């Protein structure tokens, strides 16, 4: 946030503060007297403890704010975040309870600014029947049959398109390359756009501006990132609408449904009754979800593996065996059977998601009065299940501050390092319950295929100190600069 945005933001907070002071104070005191709330500190009126909660910190930690609150109040505590009274949970039992009771006791409740920029029909902010219908569209399109064939080939093609562009001994920002890979893949997957084409590059440029606004303060004034993002959003939606209208005209001209492009946009037009506005918001939200989480996950894998040569060595051995077997059979492309052989790769993926925590917490609210472990969660209160805090808790993961893929390796429950294998009950990188991420399998496939070709083609080193920070979204401040060297043996 620049100086002007900060000044406007503070001014708005101050002007609002005195108007709602008495309302918030009365509401909190009345609730506290009648219910057994968890311990905690409500902070300042309206802004509460939001500034402290969102202060940047290393992504492989839970941050000073969370550490201090857990130490003082325990794993379930009350606060005032995002302008609302809130129950914060780093208790895995309560987190699972919240996610499993989606639509019954709790529902999704993201800040209004998220809906303002992603759209009111975005799958991220929808609840109830509309979310169910949009989720079914995504699930029906991302079937295992489609993953194993069409999508698998596109993942590999886009991986090679990016990796083959890297020059010997060159240095570049790995995070930007990961974003290039995932954006091109999603653009192809959703609208059949080819990488490197002028229209794809222009859309990518608008999308970068859009993303900066999604993670910025919602200040709709000239010059702010949020205002620029709203403008880019309109441009992106116009682009999608044009592609949609072209396909609708084909249908009106009597073209066979089967001749529509084999992508998500075509699938929605053929198989749903959504309105144009709903389709536009759905496509935009899937482009956002499919690009951001996967690109950050791949960047984290590159970062963690660079500091863990033993893991790279074991990965390279696994993928050389796969590559040699394919060479003997005269096969060129990876298959689903090859993917299933990437056992240690899956350990690396799990550990990257656990240690890096792309999605750190979720936004929910209670839609009924709830009682859990003698604590009351009042109807209407916000609830934040903090997934990252469980993943980094030594109670549930041995030496959680170490990148240890081997912890996931043994089916007998003991890893090669002697640590107990983590329980799946404590590992929720893709959320859980009815809102479990529909693209989780595609995301893991992207990571596995990218890692396969990366370790066979290159060695890499960081050329400048950098690390992932939570803002609370994850980002590498310097873009994760690396230098690569071609391996003599590549596939």
């Amino acid at each position: 946030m620049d100086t002007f945005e900060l000044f406007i933001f503070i001014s708005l907070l101050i002007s609002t503060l005195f108007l709602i002071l008495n309302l918030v104070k009365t509401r909190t005191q009345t609730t506290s007297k009648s219910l057994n709330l968890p311990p905690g500190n409500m902070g300042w009126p309206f802004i509460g403890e939001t500034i402290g909660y969102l202060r940047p910190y290393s992504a492989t930690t839970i941050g000073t704010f969370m550490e201090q609150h857990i130490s003082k109040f325990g794993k379930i505590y009350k606060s005032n975040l995002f302008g609302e009274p809130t129950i914060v949970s780093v208790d895995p039992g309560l987190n699972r309870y919240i996610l499993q009771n989606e639509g019954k006791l709790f529902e999704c409740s993201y800040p209004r600014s998220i809906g303002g920029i992603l759209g009111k029909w975005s799958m991220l902010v929808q609840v109830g029947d509309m979310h169910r219908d949009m989720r079914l569209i995504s699930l029906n399109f991302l079937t295992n049959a489609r993953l194993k064939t069409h999508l698998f080939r596109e993942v590999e093609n886009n991986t090679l398109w990016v990796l083959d562009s890297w020059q010997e001994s060159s240095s570049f920002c790995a995070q930007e390359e990961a974003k290039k890979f995932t954006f091109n893949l999603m653009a192809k997957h959703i609208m059949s756009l080819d990488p490197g084409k002028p229209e794809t590059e222009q859309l990518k440029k608008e999308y970068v501006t859009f993303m900066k606004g999604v993670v910025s303060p919602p200040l709709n004034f000239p010059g702010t990132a949020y205002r620029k993002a709203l403008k880019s959003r309109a441009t992106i939606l116009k682009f999608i609408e044009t592609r949609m209208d072209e396909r609708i005209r084909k249908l009106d001209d009597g073209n066979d449904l089967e001749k529509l492009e084999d992508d998500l946009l075509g699938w929605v037009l053929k198989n749903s009754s959504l309105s144009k506005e709903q389709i536009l918001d759905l496509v935009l939200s899937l482009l956002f979800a499919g690009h951001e989480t996967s690109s950050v996950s791949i960047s984290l894998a590159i970062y963690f593996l660079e500091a863990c040569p033993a893991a790279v060595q074991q990965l390279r051995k696994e993928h050389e065996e796969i590559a040699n077997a394919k060479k003997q059979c005269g096969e060129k492309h990876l298959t689903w059977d090859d993917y299933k052989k990437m056992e240690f790769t899956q350990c690396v993926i799990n550990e990257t998601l656990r240690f890096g925590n792309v999605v750190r917490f979720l936004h929910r609210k209670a839609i009924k009065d709830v009682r859990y472990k003698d604590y009351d969660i009042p109807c209407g209160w916000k609830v934040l299940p903090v997934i990252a805090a469980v993943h980094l808790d030594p109670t549930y993961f041995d030496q959680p501050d170490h990148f240890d893929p081997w912890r996931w390796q043994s089916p007998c429950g003991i890893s090669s390092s002697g640590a107990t294998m983590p329980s799946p009950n404590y590992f929720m990188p893709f959320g859980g319950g009815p809102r479990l991420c529909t693209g989780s399998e595609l995301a893991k496939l992207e990571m596995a295929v990218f890692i396969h070709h990366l370790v066979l083609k290159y060695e890499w080193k960081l050329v400048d100190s950098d690390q992932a920070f939570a803002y609370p979204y994850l980002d590498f401040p310097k873009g994760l600069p690396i230098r690569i060297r071609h391996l003599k043996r590549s596939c």
Side-chain angles (χ1 to χ4, degrees):
M1 187 190 304
D2 59 30
T3 303
F4 174 75
E5 289 185 53
L6 182 61
F7 173 78
I8 295 295
F9 186 48
I10 292 174
S11 298
L12 287 173
L13 289 178
I14 293 174
S15 64
T16 307
L17 180 61
F18 294 102
L19 294 175
I20 63 173
L21 175 59
N22 290 332
L23 176 62
V24 172
K25 184 177 180 181
T26 302
R27 180 183 180 187
T28 302
Q29 287 177 344
T30 302
T31 303
S32 300
K33 289 178 182 178
S34 58
L35 298 173
N36 183 35
L37 297 172
N41 179 18
M42 301 304 287
W44 291 90
F46 184 64
I47 62 173
E49 299 185 295
T50 307
I51 294 176
Y53 185 79
L54 298 180
R55 186 173 292 120
Y57 56 90
S58 171
T60 54
T61 72
I62 60 175
T64 303
F65 178 94
M66 190 71 68
E67 289 175 353
Q68 292 176 345
H69 280 63
I70 294 173
S71 176
K72 187 174 182 180
F73 303 119
K75 293 184 177 181
I76 303 173
Y77 62 87
K78 68 182 178 184
S79 184
N80 184 344
L81 300 172
F82 308 103
E84 299 182 66
T86 303
I87 302 296
V88 179
S89 169
V90 301
D91 180 283
L94 178 53
N95 289 354
R96 288 197 306 275
Y97 185 73
I98 293 168
L99 299 181
Q100 293 298 330
N101 283 280
E102 178 77 31
K104 301 174 185 176
L105 302 177
F106 305 93
E107 70 178 16
C108 183
S109 179
Y110 281 86
R112 189 172 299 176
S113 60
I114 296 294
I117 198 163
L118 288 180
K120 68 178 182 179
W121 296 109
S122 167
M123 194 163 70
L124 185 67
V125 300
Q126 281 297 308
V127 298
D129 292 344
M130 181 51 67
H131 175 266
R132 181 202 61 203
D133 293 346
M134 288 188 168
R135 176 180 167 80
L136 281 174
I137 289 172
S138 183
L139 285 172
N140 287 332
F141 185 72
L142 290 173
T143 60
N144 274 342
R146 186 173 175 81
L147 276 175
K148 292 177 181 180
T149 54
H150 182 76
L151 287 176
F152 198 110
R153 181 61 58 86
E154 290 301 334
V155 169
E156 186 170 30
N157 288 344
N158 279 278
T159 296
L160 293 172
W161 190 84
V162 170
L163 294 183
D164 288 346
S165 70
W166 294 359
Q167 300 297 316
E168 176 72 28
S169 299
S170 63
S171 60
F172 48 83
C173 292
Q175 185 178 32
E176 290 305 311
E177 296 300 295
K179 288 183 176 181
K180 184 189 301 182
F181 161 63
T182 56
F183 180 86
N184 288 338
L185 177 63
M186 294 309 296
K188 182 70 173 180
H189 166 56
I190 293 174
M191 291 181 287
S192 296
L193 299 178
D194 293 320
K197 298 294 184 181
E199 59 180 357
T200 308
E201 293 303 308
Q202 182 59 38
L203 184 64
K204 186 189 302 180
K205 181 180 178 181
E206 295 292 345
Y207 182 79
V208 170
T209 303
F210 169 76
M211 269 308 306
K212 289 179 180 178
V214 172
V215 297
S216 70
L219 305 176
N220 194 4
F221 301 104
T224 63
Y226 191 79
R227 171 68 70 88
K228 293 176 182 176
L230 290 175
K231 184 178 179 180
S232 287
R233 166 187 158 80
T235 302
I236 294 169
L237 291 181
K238 185 63 178 177
F239 179 90
I240 299 171
E241 186 176 14
T242 299
R243 306 280 298 191
M244 189 190 312
D245 289 342
E246 289 172 356
R247 300 183 190 202
I248 292 173
R249 280 196 296 272
K250 290 181 182 178
L251 294 176
D252 291 341
D253 291 341
N255 285 283
D256 193 333
L257 280 173
E258 298 302 322
K259 292 183 180 180
L260 282 183
E261 285 85 343
D262 187 21
D263 53 25
L264 186 135
L265 182 56
W267 198 95
V268 172
L269 289 172
K270 288 185 286 185
N271 297 281
S272 83
S273 58
L274 296 180
S275 68
K276 177 178 286 190
E277 183 183 8
Q278 290 169 337
I279 293 175
L280 289 174
D281 280 356
L282 172 64
V283 170
L284 181 60
S285 65
L286 290 176
L287 183 64
F288 165 75
H291 170 264
E292 282 307 303
T293 53
S294 295
S295 64
V296 173
S297 298
I298 290 171
S299 301
L300 286 167
I302 293 171
Y303 174 69
F304 292 143
L305 288 171
E306 192 271 345
C308 190
V312 175
Q313 183 179 3
Q314 188 162 335
L315 278 172
R316 193 163 283 138
K317 180 181 178 182
E318 178 172 270
H319 290 287
E320 283 177 346
E321 290 175 355
I322 293 172
N324 289 335
K326 297 196 72 61
K327 186 176 181 180
Q328 291 175 4
C329 296
E331 297 177 358
K332 183 178 180 181
H333 296 287
L334 288 171
T335 65
W336 189 261
D337 288 338
D338 296 325
Y339 173 57
K340 289 302 180 182
K341 295 175 184 176
M342 301 177 185
E343 295 180 359
F344 184 67
T345 305
Q346 293 300 325
C347 295
V348 169
I349 291 171
N350 282 347
E351 186 66 353
T352 298
L353 296 174
R354 180 202 68 81
F355 198 29
N357 291 290
V358 178
V359 179
R360 306 190 74 79
F361 61 91
L362 303 171
H363 292 263
R364 298 291 186 269
K365 74 174 179 181
I367 54 177
K368 295 181 180 179
D369 288 334
V370 178
R371 191 165 182 83
Y372 184 86
K373 288 187 177 180
D374 296 328
Y375 289 137
D376 291 307
I377 303 175
C379 177
W381 275 46
K382 200 165 184 85
V383 183
L384 296 185
V386 185
I387 308 300
V390 178
H391 291 171
L392 298 172
D393 191 331
T395 306
Y396 313 112
F397 295 89
D398 294 295
Q399 296 184 302
D401 56 343
H402 286 72
F403 180 76
D404 179 12
W406 295 274
R407 75 171 78 239
W408 303 93
Q409 195 170 44
S410 174
C412 300
I414 303 295
S415 75
S416 60
S417 60
T420 302
M421 191 172 182
S423 167
N425 292 329
Y426 306 136
F427 183 56
M428 296 188 291
F430 298 104
R435 296 184 76 97
L436 178 70
C437 177
T438 57
S440 58
E441 286 303 318
L442 176 59
K444 288 187 285 187
L445 176 64
E446 290 174 44
M447 292 182 71
V449 173
F450 196 94
I451 288 172
H452 170 83
H453 289 290
L454 176 67
V455 299
L456 289 179
K457 288 176 175 290
Y458 300 111
E459 291 179 342
W460 67 97
K461 290 287 183 183
L462 286 175
V463 296
D464 196 359
S465 59
D466 200 6
Q467 63 174 310
F469 275 85
Y471 291 88
Y473 65 94
L474 258 64
D475 192 34
F476 286 88
K478 298 178 183 179
L480 190 59
I482 64 170
R483 177 173 286 110
I484 57 98
R485 184 179 71 84
H486 282 83
L487 295 174
K488 291 182 179 179
R489 185 204 183 286
S490 61
C491 179

